[in-house]
Amino acid sequence: MAEQDRYGGWFGGNKADKVQEKVQQSVPKTSGAEQDRLGGWFGGDKADRVKDAIPEDASTSGAEQDRYGRWFGGDKLPSRADIEKHLPQTSGAEQDRYEHWFGGHKLPTRADIEKHLPQTSGAEQDRYGRWFGGDKGPSAKQVNESLPKGSGAEQDRYGTHFRSNPPNFARLGGTTSTLGLIQHAILPSFGFHGGLSLIAYGIGRYTDTVEAKDWLWPSGQVANAWWSAIGAPVVYGGVPVSVAWYALSYNQKLLLAGVSAWGLRFFYRVASRGIRRGKDDPRYDIEERKKPGFWNKAFFTMFLPEALVQTIISLPFTLPFRAPVATALASPLPEASPIFHSIAIFLFTAGYALEILADSQLEAHQRKKSSELNSEGVWSIVRHPNYLGDALCHISFPLLLFSAGQLHPITLLGPVANYVFLRYIRGDRETEENQEIRYSKENPVKFQELQEYKQTKNSFWPSLAEVNNTWLWAVAAAGAGGIIVERSLYGLLRS
């Protein structure tokens, strides 16, 4: 206990209590800071009066414009809330920020634009389909549903046309337009034949034999067929030969086999005849040949035009490989047809047998060194059975494609061009004109027989009078036998 408390009463009462109360009244009731401790000594509680003058709602950011805003005329600057009220509640694009400044929503919003956008693939036919009479073309969804759900390789896209589980590799030729067919199928094919024709021209000019182009006629078409089916996938697709071959369907292999058989027989016939003769074909012993500048023009007048004809004739056995999408979509018969398949086999076998019989019988007659004109055997059916057999073989190729759902209408130009060429350009017409010239000079008897032969037998197509010709029925039997053999082979391969 303090001394002043113990003895305070002895020295005049509670004077210490009075002193304590007075001291406490003089002590400031603040934080202890200098301005609080001494504020009363310099004019009283002025700080408290300043504090009372500050508005209670001045809970701002502490920035200078907020602290002293009221000292200079009030809240003249807009607050953050005022600014946010005037900001556009959109994407921030210029048309959204200032649209109200120029008369309202005159520009379309994103939602408006999206309503007018097509809900499809974005392709041109989908974007503008309704601008030209409605959805006349198939939409992207419809096309996608029509496409096979495979890898995109030909064996997956058209497996239902030919076979079920072929190997997987991508083929060339996904175009379907006419311009695309010309660019990706027909022009490359013409370039292929044109290059071979240039080689044949060089050989012919070096050996002085125009017949060099005849050697190229069958071999070039067969080479183009194999290049389109096997060579292009191997070279450009990087697949092994075995995979490219296995990926072909049965009908495609059958088509290649038929083209190869036709070409090999034709090539053997031309080559063997030229080798035995030892000189150029008499058909090319013309007056134009004797002119000095003949070979300078021969490539453009003889070799290159035939390259164009070969390009058209080979369409049935090149286009299905070079443009598989177009041929499948354009085929009039999308499903397989056994009837047309059998007709195609019949025509090819009958035509091929007719060619073989005509060649063998003509060679047998020539070995006899007879001075008479050959009009026996199949030569008793028409005057040019070998040309007729060739035409039947080429007609069978589009029919085979038709039966497999792979016929593009443009491939029909192949057998038509082949027929026109055989009848009116380089076939029976040229042959008989040459025969008449030679026989009239060398063998008058044979020339007379030729005139009688022309009176009794048609040049190309058999007349109705040939119904009783046994050789005609023999050729038909060969065609029927071809159907039996092919069907048996097909069953054996599937077993």
Side-chain angles (χ1 to χ4, degrees):
M1 187 175 191
E3 187 178 64
Q4 60 268 29
D5 291 331
R6 283 185 290 136
Y7 305 109
W10 296 7
F11 297 97
N14 294 327
K15 293 183 179 181
D17 294 335
K18 295 178 182 180
V19 173
Q20 181 178 1
E21 289 176 1
K22 195 168 186 176
V23 170
Q24 286 179 350
Q25 290 175 1
S26 300
V27 174
K29 306 297 190 293
T30 57
S31 63
E34 186 177 62
Q35 60 269 30
D36 291 332
R37 286 186 284 120
L38 307 177
W41 297 12
F42 298 96
D45 295 332
K46 292 183 179 180
D48 293 334
R49 290 196 300 271
V50 173
K51 180 178 180 181
D52 293 337
I54 296 176
E56 294 180 357
D57 60 347
S59 54
T60 57
S61 64
E64 188 176 64
Q65 61 269 30
D66 290 332
R67 293 202 309 269
Y68 306 113
R70 298 182 184 272
W71 294 16
F72 299 97
D75 293 331
K76 293 186 177 180
L77 293 177
S79 65
R80 177 172 179 174
D82 294 334
I83 295 175
E84 287 181 346
K85 289 179 181 179
H86 292 83
L87 288 177
Q89 308 301 316
T90 56
S91 63
E94 188 176 64
Q95 61 270 29
D96 290 331
R97 294 202 308 270
Y98 306 113
E99 58 186 352
H100 289 287
W101 296 16
F102 299 97
H105 294 294
K106 293 187 177 180
L107 293 177
T109 65
R110 177 172 179 173
D112 295 333
I113 294 174
E114 287 180 344
K115 290 179 182 179
H116 293 84
L117 289 177
Q119 309 301 317
T120 55
S121 65
E124 189 175 64
Q125 61 270 29
D126 291 330
R127 294 202 307 270
Y128 308 111
R130 298 182 183 273
W131 294 18
F132 301 96
D135 296 328
K136 294 184 178 179
S139 65
K141 181 178 180 181
Q142 293 172 329
V143 173
N144 187 53
E145 291 175 353
S146 301
L147 291 176
K149 305 300 185 290
S151 65
E154 186 181 53
Q155 60 272 23
D156 290 332
R157 295 197 303 267
Y158 309 110
T160 55
H161 291 343
F162 301 104
R163 64 190 298 171
S164 56
N165 294 316
N168 178 24
F169 84 92
R171 277 193 175 272
L172 301 174
T175 183
T176 57
S177 65
T178 302
L179 182 61
L181 286 177
I182 296 175
Q183 181 179 358
H184 299 290
I186 299 177
L187 287 181
S189 184
F190 176 67
F192 185 89
H193 285 291
L196 294 178
S197 295
L198 185 61
I199 296 174
Y201 167 76
I203 297 174
R205 180 163 188 163
Y206 180 77
T207 59
D208 195 27
T209 54
V210 181
E211 193 181 23
K213 67 182 181 61
D214 295 341
W215 290 49
L216 181 62
W217 184 270
S219 58
Q221 295 186 56
V222 173
N224 194 5
W226 280 91
W227 169 257
S228 301
I230 304 296
V234 170
V235 174
Y236 298 119
V239 300
V241 175
S242 59
V243 174
W245 169 255
Y246 182 78
L248 298 176
S249 69
Y250 172 76
N251 284 316
Q252 290 173 319
K253 292 177 180 177
L254 195 62
L255 178 64
L256 278 180
V259 173
S260 300
W262 165 83
L264 288 174
R265 185 216 62 83
F266 198 163
F267 181 81
Y268 171 79
R269 174 64 179 167
V270 173
S272 60
R273 185 177 59 186
I275 293 173
R276 284 197 307 268
R277 189 171 48 243
K279 58 180 181 180
D280 205 358
D281 194 311
R283 293 178 300 166
Y284 304 124
D285 188 13
I286 54 179
E287 292 297 327
E288 188 71 19
R289 177 78 176 273
K290 300 176 183 179
K291 295 181 180 180
F294 169 77
W295 281 108
N296 294 333
K297 299 181 296 182
F299 177 74
F300 299 100
T301 59
M302 303 182 73
F303 286 81
L304 192 60
E306 289 198 7
L308 178 60
V309 176
Q310 291 173 34
T311 301
I312 299 175
I313 293 176
S314 62
L315 283 174
F317 40 89
T318 57
L319 194 63
F321 303 111
R322 290 182 179 269
V325 175
T327 53
L329 294 178
S331 180
L333 187 68
E335 301 295 334
S337 173
I339 296 177
F340 285 102
H341 181 91
S342 297
I343 294 175
I345 299 301
F346 173 83
L347 289 178
F348 178 82
T349 310
Y352 194 69
L354 188 59
E355 286 185 298
I356 292 177
L357 289 172
D359 292 343
S360 60
Q361 292 173 0
L362 181 60
E363 289 180 0
H365 179 77
Q366 290 174 345
R367 283 195 297 267
K368 295 178 182 179
K369 296 183 179 180
S370 175
S371 60
E372 298 178 355
L373 188 70
N374 179 35
S375 58
E376 303 295 330
V378 294
W379 295 87
S380 64
I381 302 175
V382 290
R383 300 199 304 270
H384 300 282
N386 49 351
Y387 294 153
L388 174 60
D390 188 273
L392 292 178
C393 288
H394 281 270
I395 292 174
S396 71
F397 298 144
L399 273 177
L400 183 62
L401 295 174
F402 181 72
S403 68
Q406 280 280 288
L407 176 68
H408 194 288
I410 198 174
T411 57
L412 296 175
L413 292 175
V416 172
N418 184 67
Y419 176 76
V420 172
F421 191 85
L422 290 176
R423 289 299 308 273
Y424 305 109
I425 302 178
R426 289 284 188 267
D428 59 355
R429 178 181 178 182
E430 184 184 53
T431 300
E432 289 192 352
E433 288 178 353
N434 181 263
Q435 285 176 340
E436 288 185 346
I437 294 174
R438 288 191 295 112
Y439 293 165
S440 63
K441 295 179 180 179
E442 301 173 3
N443 194 334
V445 176
K446 211 169 187 177
F447 175 78
Q448 184 63 32
E449 291 177 347
L450 177 61
Q451 302 307 313
E452 296 175 358
Y453 191 35
K454 293 171 67 175
Q455 295 295 324
T456 57
K457 301 294 179 180
N458 287 348
S459 174
F460 203 90
W461 299 107
S463 64
L464 294 177
E466 303 303 328
V467 173
N468 297 325
N469 192 320
T470 55
W471 282 105
L472 179 64
W473 291 105
V475 172
I483 297 176
I484 297 174
V485 172
E486 187 272 329
R487 288 290 88 186
S488 300
L489 177 63
Y490 179 74
L492 181 62
L493 293 175
R494 288 182 62 89
S495 62

